[in-house]
Amino acid sequence: EVESGFIFHTMNAYQDPANPRHITLHASRIDPPFWDNGNQDLDKPSHLTLYEFDLEAGTVSEQRLSDAFLDFGQLDRRLVGRPYRYGYNMEFPAEGLEDSLTQPRSITRRDHDTGSFERFQAPAGLALDEAIFVADPDGRGEQDGWLMCYAFDEATHTSCLLIIDARDFSGEPVAKVCLPTRIPYGFHSVWVPDGA
């Protein structure tokens, strides 16, 4: 048993290669009560949380990994269900929570080996949508690739696609593709290669 809470999105889960009876799960946990003011999807903050299951002992431990408001976990999808080092989350501002839950301004990357966080900060006036990691087909490591996300430009009321080099995660986007219209918040996508 664990403390009651609600999980919309998991980042990843995997068995320990040395002990398949030990399972690690990273997920964004929301404290109860989940719906305070009616049926709103996001009216409470979520926190990146580590769960470790010991199936031999029948126990589970739970640890909040950050006090920041983090959700929509992503990783290099080639590592889904396998041990991995880097996970990405959308970060929601702590101030003005009701508005901030639809206007994330940054993306975090957690190094699960060291516990450290890095941050990509959106340019001023841009509200980010869910980011997804696209691996470099010629890369060798987990950071060899790009994060792609839509961003809403609050001045022009249009959207753009940002491409962020994961090898220079906190730097400027390497590309910005301007679109003639707005992409609604919450648009989910999966990028697949041609012919897949």
Side-chain angles (χ1 to χ4, degrees):
E1 292 187 5
V2 295
E3 293 295 323
S4 61
F6 188 87
I7 294 172
F8 251 139
H9 303 107
T10 60
M11 180 180 283
N12 198 18
Y14 60 90
Q15 292 175 300
D16 183 341
N19 179 6
R21 304 282 291 161
H22 184 271
I23 297 172
T24 297
L25 166 68
H26 292 107
S28 292
R29 180 186 178 280
I30 303 171
D31 290 332
F34 179 58
W35 281 298
D36 282 353
N37 303 312
N39 188 15
Q40 298 296 313
D41 278 353
L42 292 171
D43 64 356
K44 284 213 150 184
S46 53
H47 301 279
L48 185 60
T49 303
L50 167 67
Y51 294 91
E52 294 186 289
F53 299 87
D54 185 334
L55 303 183
E56 202 69 52
T59 60
V60 59
S61 65
E62 176 182 3
Q63 177 189 359
R64 180 183 286 184
L65 299 178
S66 173
D67 287 331
F69 302 158
L70 304 175
D71 212 323
F72 299 101
Q74 290 286 339
L75 72 156
D76 180 340
R77 291 187 179 215
R78 296 173 299 180
L79 297 173
V80 169
R82 298 169 53 195
Y84 70 119
R85 182 170 181 177
Y86 297 104
Y88 300 88
N89 280 108
M90 304 309 297
E91 181 177 23
F92 301 88
E95 272 73 34
L97 186 58
E98 291 95 9
D99 294 330
S100 75
L101 286 172
T102 59
Q103 300 170 357
R105 307 291 180 173
S106 55
I107 305 167
T108 64
R109 175 169 62 200
R110 183 173 193 269
D111 182 332
H112 296 308
D113 286 357
T114 67
S116 63
F117 281 89
E118 293 178 86
R119 177 177 286 107
F120 166 79
Q121 188 69 45
L126 294 184
L128 302 176
D129 208 337
E130 182 178 8
I132 190 165
F133 182 85
V134 179
D136 182 342
D138 298 322
R140 295 180 176 269
E142 273 188 65
Q143 295 185 80
D144 291 338
W146 301 269
L147 281 118
M148 301 176 74
C149 72
Y150 288 117
F152 174 61
D153 188 320
E154 295 163 331
T156 64
H157 295 277
T158 59
S159 293
C160 59
L161 176 67
L162 298 182
I163 301 175
I164 303 150
D165 192 333
R167 291 155 287 209
D168 183 24
F169 182 64
S170 59
E172 294 293 316
V174 294
K176 178 181 177 182
V177 181
C178 297
L179 304 171
T181 188
R182 177 182 181 178
I183 303 297
Y185 289 133
F187 180 75
H188 284 356
S189 60
V190 175
W191 299 89
V192 294
D194 287 343

